[in-house]
Amino acid sequence: MITEINKHDFHKVKHLTDSCQNIEVKAVASGLNPGRIYVDDAENITAALIWIHGQSGFQLIGDSRSEPFLNELKEYMRERIEPELLNLHMHAVEIGVVDEAWEDVLRHISGKRDISSDIQHVFKLNPNSISQQVPLDICASQDEKVRILRIDEVLLGEKRYNNSPFLKDKISHFWKTIDDFFTTWLWLYCSA
């Protein structure tokens, strides 16, 4: 039976998030970022639907053949989750998946509704850069170069970046305070 678990039980999905590449999923599951978690079976969790508050979207993780998700998720979404989304004036929602194995579940829960798909491009840091605390890295993104900078108090206060208010707003979607943000290792992607 699909159940929403309490925040103090989020650690129970760690075995599902360990192999997940989505860092926002890991941040919600670890309690760093706000969100909600719905699981297929609270006693034997094999799949989870994770609400990522900062993205205003969901991510499906775990076993795509989970019987409760295959059989109950459509009704659970319609009866429990959709009314909450409508109260937030949300009439469309993104549900991310890690691979095509979840496509049948997505088609099933969408019913006759229109669905569209897209490919998300994710930048990955060189793990050696992180461990060596290299402050700047250049990587190619399509036809432009991207600078990757560590966000700290100094960077947020600098006037040479005109997107500081935008950045602070984005941080507030994922962390309760700026200080909470600074306790994590995150990097800023900005155009060169």
Side-chain angles (χ1 to χ4, degrees), residues 168-180:
K168 288 176 183 176
D169 181 57
K170 285 298 178 190
I171 290 171
S172 73
H173 286 286
F174 291 91
W175 286 268
K176 291 180 183 174
T177 68
I178 295 286
D179 287 336
D180 287 345

Side-chain angles (χ1 to χ4, degrees), residues 130-148:
I130 295 171
S131 63
Q132 297 171 7
Q133 296 186 9
V134 175
L136 178 65
D137 194 7
I138 302 289
C139 63
S141 167
Q142 311 236 327
D143 294 332
E144 62 182 276
K145 292 198 182 266
V146 174
R147 290 188 317 167
I148 302 172

Side-chain angles (χ1 to χ4, degrees), residues 75-98:
E75 184 176 331
Y76 191 88
M77 292 282 292
R78 190 179 71 243
E79 291 181 3
R80 304 255 178 107
I81 296 174
E82 286 180 19
E84 292 180 20
L85 294 173
L86 289 173
N87 283 337
L88 297 171
H89 306 288
M90 295 180 70
H91 301 280
V93 69
E94 177 182 325
I95 302 175
V97 297
V98 294

